Amino acid sequence: QVELVESGGGLVQAGGSLRLSCAASGRMFRTYVGGWFRQAPGKEREFVGLISWGGSADYADSVKGRFTISRDNAKNTVYLQMNSLKPEDTAVYFCAAGNRLTRYHEDYHIWGQGTQVTISS
């Protein structure tokens, strides 16, 4: 059974950067699609980006060009590098694992606990 633990969240000023990590237990994680989602207070969980087992990535339009997803299968870790952060990026960020290349959070069956990201203006 794969378990996911996010880290790296925090408080930064607008224009700053953060790197989130999602560490997975279990060898099978390298065969999964790694997804990142976020949820702001009062809003639904939204897709941020995903990365295939082979390293191909897809991003939401709202973060494209600012966020980069990568993975290190040797370390069983997926990363979310966030640059040029904006106040509207404030949310709890979740990593997830699934079997399909999909933007729908319902299709991911393994989730981390989430990490808070707060961007001050």
Side-chain angles (χ1 to χ4, degrees):
Q1 178 70 20
V2 174
E3 295 184 352
L4 306 177
V5 177
E6 301 99 334
S7 61
L11 170 65
V12 297
Q13 289 187 332
S17 298
L18 280 174
R19 187 176 82 155
L20 306 184
S21 299
C22 175
S25 62
R27 293 182 182 179
M28 292 302 296
F29 180 68
R30 65 190 63 188
T31 68
Y32 284 116
V33 174
W36 284 98
F37 294 81
R38 65 187 182 187
Q39 189 164 17
K43 295 188 176 181
E44 293 189 356
R45 191 165 298 190
E46 67 169 345
F47 170 76
V48 174
L50 63 82
I51 188 165
S52 70
W53 67 270
S56 298
D58 181 35
Y59 301 94
D61 288 345
S62 59
V63 306
K64 196 173 295 184
R66 300 187 298 123
F67 291 10
T68 302
I69 298 176
S70 60
R71 70 189 300 164
D72 185 337
N73 286 333
K75 295 183 178 180
N76 268 3
T77 303
V78 173
Y79 303 96
L80 177 64
Q81 177 67 44
M82 305 185 294
N83 299 326
S84 302
L85 284 161
K86 306 174 181 180
E88 51 264 43
D89 294 318
T90 295
V92 177
Y93 283 70
F94 298 89
C95 69
N99 295 312
R100 300 175 59 194
L101 289 169
T102 173
R103 295 184 170 199
Y104 296 101
H105 65 84
E106 296 90 344
D107 291 330
Y108 290 80
H109 58 282
I110 303 171
W111 289 85
Q113 82 287 355
T115 185
Q116 177 70 46
V117 171
T118 304
I119 312 303
S120 63
S121 58

